[in-house]
Amino acid sequence: MPVLDYVEAIHAPKRFTGQIKLHPLEAFEGMRRAGRLAAECLDMLVPEVKEGVATQHLDDLARTFVLDHGALPACLFYRGYRHTLCTSLNHVVCHGIPSSRVLHNEDILNIDVTVIVDGWHGDTSRMYAVGAPRRKAERLMDATYAAMMAGINSIKPGVTLGDVGFAIQRVAEGERCSIVREFCGHGVGQVFHDAPNILHFGVPGEGSVLKPGMTFTVEPMVNLGGAGVKILADGWTAVTKDKSLSAQFEHSVGVTETGVEIFTLSPAGLDRPHTIHGPTA
């Protein structure tokens, strides 16, 4: 895991430079506003994820919600992408494209949204269940959430990115699941995808050291079967090679002087909406 240079964000261009931007902690207010709106968008979708609803309908609802709140959908037209959400069903690992495909009972769905509020990006995703999830799907979703939170809870000044990745990996693999290695978290702030890469596996003590002012996503993708993935012909959709179920949770976070702040917590307490439709862990 490479060790990167750091730069004070106020002296850095608002684009990817390969350096880790350190934001003044007062700038976290911008991340809070963006993160809250992104979380509220996912909250809004909780009652809409039900049998017979098309994923394109969810995308339409999200786009209207974001625009009505004076924000911008970050993914819309990003590198040619034409939707507000990514909707990843069942064995889709990430970057699933909203479509006319309707939801069926026992489907599991990751919804990923990024909003821009006054130039700041709020990036988050959650797992939803259609009806009551099958036990293996519920176990996968719970393991993925626990792995993400283990990584987040390890964050504080002085630890390394390898420490964070190892915390995630240990939980996921302890639940007999596989960590996807082709995709990772990323720096986020006034740039959508910035340095550093946040790997969801790692060796303790390796990689860049966390410092106050860093802002990034933690977003492990976890498979019930093998870790292998492939990209479909559309150039976006990543699926498991063995067609096993996949799950993902994501928060945007910031490193404080003493620990970590999560910017994308659900104001309604719905960070695990799949538990609404089935038994809780």
Side-chain angles (χ1 to χ4, degrees):
M1 182 183 296
V3 176
L4 303 180
D5 293 330
Y6 304 84
V7 62
E8 297 294 333
I10 58 174
H11 300 309
K14 295 178 183 179
R15 58 177 173 80
F16 180 86
T17 64
Q19 298 170 298
I20 298 174
K21 295 180 176 66
L22 301 178
H23 300 276
L25 295 187
E26 57 267 25
F28 279 16
E29 182 55 34
M31 290 297 292
R32 293 185 190 109
R33 292 195 304 270
R36 181 182 179 91
L37 184 62
E40 288 174 339
C41 182
L42 295 186
D43 286 353
M44 176 273 297
L45 292 172
V46 169
E48 305 296 334
V49 177
K50 54 192 175 184
E51 192 167 10
V53 171
T55 54
Q56 180 58 57
H57 178 64
L58 301 177
D59 190 68
D60 293 339
L61 290 173
R63 182 178 63 256
T64 298
F65 179 90
V66 173
L67 294 174
D68 283 352
H69 283 79
L72 295 173
C75 289
L76 191 60
F77 306 124
Y78 178 76
R79 296 182 179 177
Y81 194 73
R82 302 183 64 83
H83 300 273
T84 296
L85 304 176
C86 292
T87 52
S88 300
L89 274 161
N90 298 326
H91 73 292
V92 178
V93 174
C94 60
H95 304 156
I97 301 174
S99 71
S100 61
R101 199 280 203 190
V102 299
L103 302 175
H104 302 296
N105 187 47
E106 297 187 340
D107 279 342
I108 62 171
L109 172 68
N110 177 271
I111 300 180
D112 191 337
V113 66
T114 306
V115 304
I116 307 173
V117 178
D118 298 328
W120 295 92
H121 292 75
D123 189 358
T124 185
S125 81
R126 301 178 201 160
M127 293 302 299
Y128 298 70
V130 183
R134 290 171 289 173
R135 178 56 194 145
K136 66 179 182 179
E138 183 185 29
R139 181 175 72 84
L140 171 66
M141 291 186 287
D142 289 341
T144 306
Y145 181 83
M148 176 189 68
M149 291 308 301
I152 290 173
N153 289 335
S154 73
I155 293 171
K156 61 182 179 181
V159 308
T160 69
L161 290 178
D163 296 327
V164 177
F166 178 73
I168 296 167
Q169 180 181 4
R170 180 171 56 182
V171 170
E173 293 181 351
E175 292 294 330
R176 305 186 307 281
C177 298
S178 302
I179 291 283
V180 172
R181 300 189 175 216
E182 284 85 349
F183 299 98
C184 60
H186 52 88
V188 68
Q190 292 179 299
V191 179
F192 189 177
H193 292 104
D194 210 346
N197 289 334
I198 309 299
L199 304 183
H200 303 119
F201 57 94
V203 177
E206 290 191 352
S208 296
V209 175
L210 300 188
K211 297 186 178 184
M214 291 174 64
T215 53
F216 52 85
T217 69
V218 179
E219 50 180 301
M221 286 144 273
V222 179
N223 297 345
L224 197 58
V229 304
K230 63 180 180 180
I231 308 298
L232 299 186
D234 60 30
W236 287 101
T237 307
V239 301
T240 57
K241 285 185 177 179
D242 60 10
K243 298 186 179 180
S244 63
L245 293 175
S246 187
Q248 181 187 19
F249 283 89
E250 176 184 13
H251 275 313
S252 295
V253 304
V255 183
T256 69
E257 295 287 352
T258 59
V260 63
E261 178 177 349
I262 303 175
F263 301 123
T264 47
L265 287 173
S266 162
L270 301 177
D271 293 294
R272 299 168 70 184
H274 69 279
T275 63
I276 294 171
H277 305 293
T280 57

